């Protein structure tokens, strides 16, 4: 079998007809076999807003949003082609969307299942437009627009569906016929459950979709095209001396995605790692610029590769004297996290207390907090930022902590996490010190 390439273009690469044509050219140059696309830039947000207004009974607002969605997509289409069939398809989809929104408006409520159906329109419309861009760019290729929902099977957790890896693999094998003439175009983000109802993988989930397809077809390469040329050593908006990273290991990149680097959806790498598929992250605006390769074996292994920052962190401290010399408390605490599907990021423990960082948004979940309070006294602190130094051999590098603390000077460190992995060293600091701490650490370790 020849080399199989799966690529994904995000919302900014689908922004307008020019962005679509640019992306189509890349897909052709890269000999992409399967290309998945996101909704056009900002459309998923608009669809969420549409649902909100429909539930709140504001039909005027709904009409305005529907109008902008319609205008925007027809604008792209008319700039691309006179193909009336594509025009019909777009019109029909947007009419369906309007009917659904009408239903939600009349009911004054919207289930998660209905929400997924509504937000799926973003990817479904953009993929029709992108297929037209492909036909113009690659006239000698056979462009096969397919519905990702027929392949990407999931459970029924609407809004954050879990993929069924085996079924996806089976469907991929049955459906795709790779040859140099075929280009398959599908939608990121969306799938379907056992009952053929539409599901989504969660916000930003198109990267994850692409990785699942890559795993399903055992691709040789997964390409993620976005609006920046790969991953940088830190957020360039915080630190102007951030440098591009040309190569990074799966382990380091996973830590980075988890601890705040916005460039990849955190679960993207999991399917790629299972099949050992190298992932390339590049800019569709400057495709000739060197991007980042993420793979299992990399040549350079710097002590510190990058500094990530995750804002809006809360620290939960659960304390009970009953924990003294006893067992089972950690189990009980983690059970609550499991029940509410809340991921545990950093943890430290003492004899009678456990401190855990969570996203501040988690605190809105009163039932979750209430259950923790049944285990012990819970103290909540907000306004923190988690800073992660990401690199290699951190557990065997003497003097590392000294360099870290010397460089950040007077900044108060509220919590420290080190020891579970050789790839990261985490510090929890006050939000107001976050950016300055990143800059100081970057200067010390990366330059
Ligand atoms: N369109 C979806 C979102 O904005 C999925 C994605 O772009 O990855 O969340
Ligand atoms: Mg995205």
């Amino acid at each position: 079998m020849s080399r199989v390439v799966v690529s994904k273009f995000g919302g900014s690469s689908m922004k307008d007809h020019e962005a679509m044509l640019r992306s189509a050219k890349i897909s052709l140059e890269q000999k992409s076999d399967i290309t998945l696309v996101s909704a056009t830039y900002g459309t998923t947000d608009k669809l969420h807003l549409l649902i909100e207004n429909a539930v709140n009974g504001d039909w005027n607002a709904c009409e305005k949003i529907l109008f902008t969605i319609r205008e925007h997509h027809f604008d792209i289409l008319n700039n691309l082609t006179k193909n009336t069939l594509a025009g019909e398809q777009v019109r029909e989809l947007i009419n369906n969307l309007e009917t659904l929104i009408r239903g939600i408006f009349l009911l004054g409520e919207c289930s998660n299942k209905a929400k997924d159906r509504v937000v799926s329109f973003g990817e479904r419309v953009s993929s029709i437009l992108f297929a037209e861009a492909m036909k113009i760019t690659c006239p000698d290729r056979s462009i096969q627009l397919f519905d990702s929902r027929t392949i990407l099977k999931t459970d029924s957790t609407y809004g954050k569906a879990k993929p069924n890896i085996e079924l996806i693999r089976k469907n991929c094998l049955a459906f795709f016929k790779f040859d140099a003439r075929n280009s398959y175009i599908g939608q990121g983000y969306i799938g379907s459950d056992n009952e053929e109802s539409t599901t989504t993988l969660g916000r930003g989930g198109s990267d994850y979709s692409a990785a699942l397809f890559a795993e399903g077809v055992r691709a040789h390469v997964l390409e993620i095209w976005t609006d920046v040329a790969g991953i940088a050593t830190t957020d360039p908006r915080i630190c102007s001396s951030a440098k591009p990273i040309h190569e990074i290991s799966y382990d380091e990149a996973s830590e980075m995605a988890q601890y705040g680097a916005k460039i990849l959806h955190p679960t993207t790498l999991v399917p790629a790692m299972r099949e050992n598929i190298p992932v390339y992250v590049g800019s569709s605006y400057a495709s000739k610029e060197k991007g980042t390769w993420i793979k299992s074996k990399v040549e350079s292994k710097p002590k510190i590769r990058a500094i990530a920052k995750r804002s809006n962190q809360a620290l939960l401290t659960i304390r009970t004297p009953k924990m003294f010399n006893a067992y089972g408390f950690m189990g009980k605490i983690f059970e609550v996290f499991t029940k509410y599907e809340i991921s545990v990021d950093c943890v430290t423990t003492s004899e009678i207390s456990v401190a855990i960082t969570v996203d501040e948004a988690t605190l809105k979940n009163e039932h979750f907090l209430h259950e923790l309070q049944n285990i012990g006294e819970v103290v909540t602190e907000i306004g923190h930022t988690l800073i992660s130094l990401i690199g290699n051999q951190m557990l065997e590098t003497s003097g590392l902590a000294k360099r870290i603390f010397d460089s950040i000077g007077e900044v108060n460190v509220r919590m420290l996490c080190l020891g579970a992995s050789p790839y990261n060293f985490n510090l929890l600091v006050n939000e107001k010190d976050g950016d300055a701490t990143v800059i100081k650490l970057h200067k010390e370790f990366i330059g």
Side-chain angles (χ1 to χ4, degrees):
M1 192 171 63
S2 65
R3 195 167 163 270
V4 176
V5 180
V6 174
S7 30
K8 173 254 166 178
F9 291 89
S12 48
S13 308
M14 294 289 115
K15 202 180 173 101
D16 47 33
H17 73 283
E18 279 160 2
M20 286 209 183
L21 289 170
R22 207 181 301 124
S23 300
K25 192 160 164 257
I26 296 171
S27 172
L28 176 71
E29 284 166 357
Q30 300 300 116
K31 301 193 171 65
S32 193
D33 296 280
I34 304 175
T35 305
L36 296 187
V37 298
S38 288
T40 59
Y41 187 80
T43 298
T44 310
D45 287 339
K46 285 201 188 92
L47 291 167
H48 278 282
L49 200 62
L50 196 50
I51 295 170
E52 207 180 299
N53 281 298
V55 170
N56 292 338
D58 189 345
W59 186 249
N60 266 343
C62 292
E63 274 192 323
K64 275 192 197 128
I65 300 169
L66 282 164
F67 179 80
T68 47
I69 292 178
R70 206 185 290 270
E71 286 282 285
H72 181 54
H73 289 91
F74 271 103
D75 196 40
I76 297 179
L77 184 72
N78 295 334
N79 275 307
L80 281 175
T81 176
K82 299 273 169 293
N83 179 348
T84 49
L85 182 65
E88 269 316 303
Q89 289 169 333
V90 173
R91 187 163 299 113
E92 195 186 320
L93 266 182
I94 299 181
N95 287 347
N96 284 345
L97 171 67
E98 182 164 351
T99 309
L100 257 175
I101 293 297
R102 239 293 162 224
I104 295 167
F105 165 76
L106 291 173
L107 284 170
E109 62 179 18
C110 184
S111 64
N112 288 338
K113 184 172 171 176
K115 260 186 205 158
D116 270 359
R117 193 156 176 83
V118 171
V119 296
S120 76
F121 277 85
E123 271 70 10
R124 287 160 65 200
V125 181
S126 73
S127 59
I128 297 175
L129 303 179
F130 186 67
E132 292 306 311
M134 286 291 286
K135 287 178 198 162
I136 297 163
T137 314
C138 339
D140 51 351
R141 281 207 157 204
S142 159
I143 306 301
Q144 318 267 354
L145 178 63
F146 70 98
D147 188 336
S148 293
R149 293 174 296 178
T150 57
I151 294 173
L152 203 142
K153 300 305 285 187
T154 68
D155 70 0
S156 302
T157 320
Y158 302 107
K160 212 177 171 124
K162 291 186 189 62
N164 181 332
I165 314 293
E166 270 163 44
L167 254 183
I168 295 170
R169 165 90 184 136
K170 209 176 119 224
N171 292 339
C172 279
L173 282 177
F175 182 73
F176 294 111
K177 306 276 174 279
F178 297 120
D179 81 45
R181 285 199 61 249
N182 277 347
S183 278
Y184 289 97
I185 312 296
Q187 310 76 29
Y189 185 48
I190 65 174
S192 73
D193 63 10
N194 274 342
E195 288 155 13
E196 315 299 333
S197 294
T198 303
T199 56
T200 65
L201 300 177
R203 291 306 306 265
S206 293
D207 294 347
Y208 189 31
S209 291
L212 290 163
F213 274 90
E215 179 183 34
V217 300
R218 307 261 203 275
H220 296 81
V221 182
L222 167 62
E223 298 175 351
I224 306 281
W225 294 96
T226 169
D227 53 359
V228 289
I231 303 174
T233 51
T234 195
D235 186 341
R237 286 165 304 184
I238 299 175
C239 179
S240 56
S241 49
K243 298 179 172 58
I245 296 175
H246 296 310
E247 216 191 42
I248 185 170
S249 69
Y250 288 134
D251 296 312
E252 294 167 275
S254 308
E255 302 282 0
M256 267 189 99
Q258 180 61 28
Y259 291 115
K262 286 271 156 29
I263 194 143
L264 274 186
H265 185 274
T267 31
T268 310
L269 294 173
V270 178
M273 284 163 88
R274 281 195 293 254
E275 280 301 318
N276 200 8
I277 302 165
V279 181
Y280 179 76
V281 183
S283 163
S284 69
Y285 286 77
S287 59
K288 299 286 175 275
E289 237 176 82
K290 235 171 152 185
T292 306
W293 277 103
I294 309 169
K295 43 193 193 175
S296 59
K297 290 213 166 43
V298 289
E299 267 162 37
S300 76
K301 285 193 175 167
K303 289 268 149 42
I304 307 292
R305 173 101 65 189
I307 321 267
K309 180 187 111 161
R310 187 156 150 179
S311 302
N312 304 321
Q313 297 297 293
L315 187 65
L316 295 176
T317 307
I318 304 123
R319 197 184 131 90
T320 167
K322 283 189 256 166
M323 200 162 135
F324 188 73
N325 253 340
Y327 52 84
F329 280 97
M330 290 283 258
K332 280 193 194 134
I333 292 168
F334 288 155
E335 252 169 44
V336 179
F337 275 76
T338 309
K339 179 170 166 192
Y340 291 93
E341 298 187 1
I342 292 164
S343 97
V344 174
D345 289 327
C346 288
V347 191
T348 57
T349 67
S350 81
E351 188 51 42
I352 57 163
S353 52
V354 179
I356 303 175
T357 62
V358 292
D359 284 327
E360 273 176 8
T362 307
L363 302 181
K364 288 191 196 129
N365 192 333
E366 286 170 19
H367 297 289
F368 162 71
L369 286 179
H370 188 76
E371 283 203 34
L372 282 183
Q373 277 151 2
N374 287 339
I375 302 176
E377 179 199 346
V378 179
V379 178
T380 311
E381 294 166 54
I382 57 166
H384 291 299
T385 292
L386 192 62
I387 311 264
S388 304
L389 291 103
I390 289 146
N392 296 279
Q393 294 158 343
M394 297 215 182
L395 307 178
E396 297 133 43
T397 307
S398 43
L400 182 66
K402 181 178 186 307
R403 276 181 74 190
I404 292 174
F405 288 108
D406 280 350
S407 63
I408 66 174
E410 298 296 304
V411 170
N412 182 48
V413 176
R414 174 63 186 81
M415 178 169 155
L416 236 184
C417 251
L418 170 76
S421 118
Y423 312 110
N424 69 353
F425 191 123
N426 293 339
L427 311 167
L428 190 71
V429 302
N430 202 304
E431 195 87 57
K432 71 170 181 14
D433 296 324
D435 288 0
T437 309
V438 169
I439 293 169
K440 285 174 182 159
L441 289 169
H442 195 272
K443 181 157 181 256
E444 170 68 21
F445 290 100
I446 298 167

